């Protein structure tokens, strides 16, 4: 690791061994409920490093999904959101015994909707009290996928993966940030370091299979958003070019009474652009009246 911020993040965590591979985990003590932070594609738990100091003394736990960040990146492997949900359950079982609330971003929102569905089925092995979804294309047909996402999920995905470079990644990743909070040089370098760890930049076409699962399990996961009986809210950066306000409006249609905090002027990564505002918005829905 060459980036000081990545080294510090790594050194504060540990790896948990699972049947699928080693999963990187970080956690901290504090008040209940424990805030479970679930990241998106193609990044990692590192995205939440500046959010954690603003969690107002709550206990917290976060992880890198299999194939991401500092976790193992097996290949060949069929990456599935169902397996990622299994790994979340394993991490929660080993890190906390009390109630949990979830703050999820991007791909993590679909892992969360699977957790909600399992809770509805009576199969979730931990006490999930509340959830907040942020800037995830849960309703895929309402999202505006980037050109690279469309290529990676198609037949040319393996070829495109072999052509991923540091410069290309930086240009593509930078388009996800708002004009008022552009991607910094340091952030770009750290994100690339985590993406390319253990050659992870060669498997984005495998990891992006989660988009197909969003189609395959739409009835189950949209139904969970609609029917889960506990508090579910949304925190949204409105300048997101991918999970646009059109996605948020679709979620509002599914869940008309859901609490929503809009973050004007923030893009797809509100937790990186303004971590204080993001954490405050999430806590207002997760903890204040929990």
């Amino acid at each position: 690791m060459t980036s000081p911020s990545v080294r510090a993040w790594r050194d504060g965590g540990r790896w948990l061994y699972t049947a699928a591979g080693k999963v990187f985990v970080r956690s901290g003590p504090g008040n209940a409920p424990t805030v479970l932070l679930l990241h998106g594609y193609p990044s990692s738990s590192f995205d939440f490093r500046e959010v954690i100091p603003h969690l107002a003394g709550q206990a917290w736990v976060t992880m890198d999904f299999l194939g991401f960040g500092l976790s193992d990146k097996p290949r060949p492997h069929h990456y599935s959101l169902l397996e990622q949900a299994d790994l979340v359950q394993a991490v929660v079982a080993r890190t906390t015994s009390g109630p949990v609330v979830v703050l999820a971003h991007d791909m993590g929102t679909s892992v969360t909707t699977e957790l909600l569905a399992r809770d509805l089925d009576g199969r979730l092995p931990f006490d999930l009290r509340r959830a907040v979804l942020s800037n995830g294309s849960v309703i895929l047909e309402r999202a505006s996928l980037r050109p690279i996402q469309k290529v990676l999920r198609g037949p040319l995905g393996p070829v495109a993966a072999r052509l991923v470079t540091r410069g290309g990644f930086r240009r593509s990743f930078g388009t996800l940030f708002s004009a008022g909070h552009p991607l910094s040089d340091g952030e770009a370098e750290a994100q690339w370091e985590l993406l390319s760890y253990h050659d992870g930049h060669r498997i984005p076409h495998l990891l992006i299979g989660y988009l197909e699962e969003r189609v395959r399990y739409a009835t189950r996961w949209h139904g969970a958003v609609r029917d889960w009986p506990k508090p579910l809210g949304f925190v949204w950066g409105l300048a997101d070019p991918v999970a646009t306000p059109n996605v948020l409006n679709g979620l509002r249609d599914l869940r008309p009474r859901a609490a929503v905090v809009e973050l004007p002027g923030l893009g797809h990564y509100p937790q990186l652009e303004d971590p204080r505002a993001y954490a405050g918005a999430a806590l207002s829905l997760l903890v204040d009246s929990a």
Side-chain angles (χ1 to χ4, degrees):
M1 293 294 167
T2 59
S3 167
S5 59
V6 173
R7 284 202 306 272
W9 184 250
R10 177 201 61 191
D11 292 348
R14 62 196 185 280
W15 283 265
L16 296 183
Y17 288 81
T18 75
K22 298 195 303 296
V23 174
F24 179 76
V25 176
R26 280 202 60 164
S27 61
N31 301 320
T34 297
V35 180
L36 172 63
L37 303 147
L38 299 180
H39 70 84
Y41 173 100
S43 47
S44 67
S45 62
F46 183 75
D47 295 345
F48 295 113
R49 71 193 185 282
E50 299 296 339
V51 172
I52 289 164
H54 301 296
L55 289 182
Q58 296 299 130
W60 59 273
V61 60
T62 189
M63 61 182 284
D64 290 351
F65 290 125
L66 190 72
F68 295 80
L70 297 169
S71 289
D72 279 354
K73 299 175 178 178
R75 55 187 178 274
H77 187 79
H78 173 64
Y79 290 91
S80 169
L81 296 177
L82 303 180
E83 179 182 56
Q84 305 288 16
D86 292 342
L87 293 173
V88 169
Q89 292 178 182
V91 168
V92 170
R94 299 186 201 183
T95 57
T96 183
S97 59
V100 172
V101 296
V102 175
L103 173 58
H105 174 250
D106 187 77
M107 189 191 84
T109 62
S110 287
V111 176
T112 299
T113 56
E114 171 59 22
L115 296 176
L116 304 187
R118 293 181 184 188
D119 201 20
L120 282 166
D121 294 341
R123 297 191 296 110
L124 190 67
F126 62 89
D127 181 12
L128 179 57
R129 298 281 181 88
R130 290 173 174 254
V132 165
L133 309 182
S134 67
N135 292 87
S137 302
V138 180
I139 306 175
L140 189 61
E141 65 270 18
R142 284 179 170 259
S144 299
L145 296 182
R146 311 307 288 172
I148 186 60
Q149 291 177 295
K150 296 177 182 179
V151 173
L152 285 170
R153 70 186 293 212
L156 295 179
V159 176
R162 290 199 296 269
L163 300 176
V164 173
T165 64
R166 183 194 305 259
F169 166 75
R170 175 172 181 155
R171 288 189 294 273
S172 178
F173 197 64
T175 65
L176 301 177
F177 288 71
S178 67
H181 303 83
L183 176 66
S184 69
D185 291 343
E187 187 68 38
E189 185 59 32
Q191 292 286 346
W192 170 256
E193 188 170 347
L194 287 160
L195 177 72
S196 59
Y197 180 73
H198 284 170
D199 288 332
H201 61 304
R202 297 301 179 220
I203 61 168
H205 61 299
L206 301 179
L207 300 178
I208 208 167
Y210 78 92
L211 293 179
E212 305 308 324
E213 290 186 314
R214 278 180 167 163
V215 176
R216 187 180 314 144
Y217 299 111
T219 298
R220 173 176 173 80
W221 293 344
H222 296 175
V225 171
R226 182 188 64 237
D227 298 332
W228 193 56
K230 303 171 190 178
L232 173 63
F234 311 117
V235 171
W236 224 263
L238 296 184
D240 188 338
V242 180
T244 65
N246 190 37
V247 178
L248 176 59
N249 291 338
L251 291 171
R252 281 173 153 146
D253 290 342
L254 285 173
R255 190 102 175 181
R257 297 181 183 177
V260 180
V261 179
E262 298 179 349
L263 299 174
L266 299 185
H268 184 65
Y269 278 90
Q271 71 272 47
L272 293 176
E273 295 190 22
D274 192 340
R276 182 188 296 273
Y278 181 80
L283 286 178
S284 74
L285 304 184
L286 288 175
V287 175
D288 288 355
S289 58

